[in-house]
Amino acid sequence: MKGLLRRPGVQSFLGWLLAAYLKLVLRTVRWRHVNVDCVEPVLSGPSGAVALFWHGRIPLCLSVAPQWWRKAGTKALISPSADGEFVAQALERAGFPAIRMSSAKKGDASKARAAVAGFREALNFVGGGGALIITPDGPRGPHEVIASGALQIAKRTAAPVFLMGMAAHPALRLDTWDQVNLPAPFGRGVVVWAGPLHVPPDAGEAEIAALGADWSARLSAATRQAEALVGALPPKAAKA
């Protein structure tokens, strides 16, 4: 199955299919935004930004496109995995080009070099005024736990960070590690915005870990608020 997924033709078809679905969700779901004014100064200004939402909400991600399309440059940080390839193609078709970056396993020199190159590209992009959208618990989890990479980008660029809790109803929730939500067309959706948040330029590993835990709780709270507002069920408890 993995070999089939890596074929360019299959990737292209899946990217087209996902892009069509994302656009359908954007156009047919009745979206409501809560506290969206918090991001307004960044949308209309020259500074860069980092925006976070949970990996399982990728099918809802174009709900924030009308806001981020106003920014001169907005990209998504996507894993270079086979799954990430068709997601990257879909988002590019939908107006969000990708920066490909993921963590590398210890001892894998080639992937480590690719990770460093992707990280530098992300830093240069945000530092130059771009907005970078990240699913900080992807691509492998743990579910709804922010990895340190997003905070390191925010620290080194001094960019503000915005949290985006998304929910839609009705939606199908799959039994995957990220409990991915597939919203039905013509339903209702809510995005709860929070921020701006900042990582101090002198933050050490302990402070970054503490911020990651705090921001994870905040992003989950924003997501639960969106679910409550739209009448959607909260996710199942994570498997031990």
Side-chain angles (χ1 to χ4, degrees), residues 44-58:
S44 57
S47 65
V50 175
L52 310 180
F53 69 91
W54 293 131
H55 193 273
R57 308 296 161 130
I58 287 176

Side-chain angles (χ1 to χ4, degrees), residues 104-114:
K105 295 181 180 178
K106 187 175 182 180
D108 193 331
S110 62
K111 287 188 177 180
R113 286 193 296 270

Side-chain angles (χ1 to χ4, degrees), residues 209-234:
L211 285 173
D214 178 54
W215 293 7
S216 294
R218 292 190 188 202
L219 180 51
S220 290
T223 305
R224 301 294 88 79
Q225 182 182 351
E227 289 165 348
L229 288 170
V230 84
L233 293 174

